[in-house]
Amino acid sequence: MTSNSLIRIAAVTIILLEAASPARAASCEKSIGRVQAQLDAAIEKNAGAHGWGPESLDALRGHQPTPRSLARAEGQSGVHLQLALDALDRARAADRSHDIATCRRELSEATLLLQKRPR
């Protein structure tokens, strides 16, 4: 089974469990955490896939990288990861405003973007 298949299965399972869970009807916080963990793993994998590159000015200054800065540093191969991070940000905003339908839709979008392979 490929990692993309596992991500798809995990995403569908998460979405179905969250949709069927009345106890979590008021929040999708746990799903956000799960998708964030998947996204972090995908960013780490992508960051190590292209060999070494020159250090950024932030790295030279001792700043720790964020998931977004790692995705951005990968250029074109990290665009889908940046878009997934954007969807995750929108999911968090929707969760804070108790718009669970939008939160779940954005989580689905982030998960679909995770499944895209870099070009």
Side-chain angles (χ1 to χ4, degrees):
M1 211 175 235
T2 67
S3 63
N4 278 343
S5 297
L6 292 174
I7 290 172
R8 284 187 189 125
I9 291 169
V12 170
T13 302
I14 290 168
I15 291 167
L16 290 175
L17 287 174
E18 285 297 316
S21 174
R24 297 295 300 163
S27 175
C28 56
E29 185 178 347
K30 284 186 179 180
S31 291
I32 289 171
R34 284 188 210 109
V35 174
Q36 179 70 59
Q38 292 173 348
L39 187 50
D40 289 346
I43 289 170
E44 290 277 332
K45 181 179 178 183
N46 191 52
H50 307 295
W52 292 96
E55 288 185 301
S56 70
L57 185 57
D58 283 339
L60 292 172
R61 291 180 177 161
H63 298 161
Q64 292 297 312
T66 64
R68 190 170 300 279
S69 69
L70 288 172
R72 189 174 38 249
E74 292 302 313
Q76 191 62 29
S77 70
V79 169
H80 70 291
L81 298 171
Q82 292 178 62
L83 293 172
L85 286 165
D86 292 342
L88 201 55
D89 287 346
R90 291 189 301 271
R92 284 191 179 97
D95 188 48
R96 281 191 301 272
S97 65
H98 306 290
D99 184 353
I100 304 306
T102 300
C103 181
R104 289 185 179 140
R105 186 171 51 250
E106 293 298 338
L107 287 173
S108 294
E109 177 69 16
T111 302
L112 288 172
L113 286 163
L114 272 173
Q115 295 170 10
K116 289 189 176 183
R117 290 197 178 255
R119 295 176 189 166

